[in-house]
Amino acid sequence: MIKRLPRKFYLAPTLTVAQELLGKYLIRKIDSKEIRAKIVETEAYIGPQDKASHTYGGKVTKRNKTVYLIGGHLYIYLCYGIHWQLNITTQKKGKPECVLIRALKPLKDFREEFSGSLDQDLANGPGKLTRWLELDKSFDSQDLVKSRRIWIAGEKHKSKFDKLKKSQITSTSRIGIDYAEEWAKKPWRFYISKSPFVSKKVSQN
DNA sequence: GTACAGATTGAG
DNA sequence: TCAATCTGTACT
């Protein structure tokens, strides 16, 4: 059995949430169809202190204001004028931290063992997964705890499918933020080790 | 008001 | 290697 994650999940430290999101299920309802996927790659952005973050220095703009909402909301923005990026806010209201979802493993069934062959190139990048899930600006500030269109779930009872062991998580520096100086080196990108569904064009250091 | 870079992607 | 395409931000 899987169950929607409660608000509490998103209030843990952002780096913890970024790692615990790995292996969780993202469910997107389009009309009567339910699309399911497992989160396999994330990046953490730690608010005011993080130069790579949109909320560096605590600034508020029309674009980033949803990051200031309480944890569990979606922050969706357009990047390079073309790609929508899916972020999940963390922390309490007023603390602008979030987790970027970079890659998903499409699932037919919640137990991936029962899923047949799936397209590895469908959601292996932050811009590709939003296109696949048909997410855009209209989803900005949606509440994952309440929304009927999108939410995240995990195993209701602790099981071997629930929490990943540390050894199953690889951490590296984040992607595409070379301008952030020393913050660009922080190992705040996390992905499930050896998953063929993580984003490409990326160093595996 | 104008200029320009950006948490990317896919085609050549 | 590079264009697509548009918003936020820092200027004039």
Side-chain angles (χ1 to χ4, degrees), chain A residues 13-16 34 44-45 52 54 64 70 76 80-81 93 113-114 116 120 142 147 156 165 171 173 180 187 199 205:
Chain A
T14 303
L15 290 175
T16 302
E34 241 182 48
Y45 286 85
H54 288 166
N64 75 12
I70 192 170
I76 296 190
Y80 296 107
K93 188 175 158 96
E113 286 75 7
F114 302 131
Q120 288 191 7
Q142 279 274 307
S147 176
K156 185 171 184 178
K165 297 189 185 73
S171 60
S173 52
S199 58
N205 62 329

Side-chain angles (χ1 to χ4, degrees), chain A residues 80-95:
Chain A
Y80 296 107
I82 300 180
H83 305 290
W84 296 101
Q85 309 272 131
L86 173 63
N87 295 257
I88 296 167
T89 68
T90 60
Q91 295 295 306
K92 47 192 171 182
K93 188 175 158 96
K95 288 197 74 178

Side-chain angles (χ1 to χ4, degrees), chain A residues 52-71:
Chain A
S53 170
H54 288 166
T55 50
Y56 175 60
K59 69 181 174 187
V60 184
T61 66
K62 198 175 174 186
R63 177 173 70 161
N64 75 12
K65 66 180 191 300
T66 60
V67 186
Y68 289 82
L69 296 174
I70 192 170

Side-chain angles (χ1 to χ4, degrees), chain A residues 28 54 61-67 74-79 82-87 130-131 133-142 149:
Chain A
R28 164 78 169 103
H54 288 166
T61 66
K62 198 175 174 186
R63 177 173 70 161
N64 75 12
K65 66 180 191 300
T66 60
V67 186
L74 296 185
Y75 167 44
I76 296 190
Y77 74 93
L78 191 63
C79 187
I82 300 180
H83 305 290
W84 296 101
Q85 309 272 131
L86 173 63
N87 295 257
T130 53
R131 192 178 59 185
L133 295 173
E134 298 178 30
L135 298 175
D136 60 26
K137 187 127 194 85
S138 70
F139 282 82
D140 188 49
S141 80
Q142 279 274 307
R149 293 192 292 173

Side-chain angles (χ1 to χ4, degrees), chain A residues 27-44:
Chain A
I27 297 119
R28 164 78 169 103
K29 200 159 189 176
I30 301 177
D31 300 322
S32 59
K33 187 175 58 176
E34 241 182 48
I35 297 180
R36 300 155 182 174
K38 192 165 86 165
I39 297 171
V40 298
E41 183 179 346
T42 64
E43 277 182 8

Side-chain angles (χ1 to χ4, degrees), chain A residues 46-54 56 174 179-183:
Chain A
I46 315 293
Q49 43 173 321
D50 181 0
K51 198 162 186 179
S53 170
H54 288 166
Y56 175 60
R174 292 171 291 177
Y179 60 87
E181 299 164 18
E182 72 271 24
W183 297 98

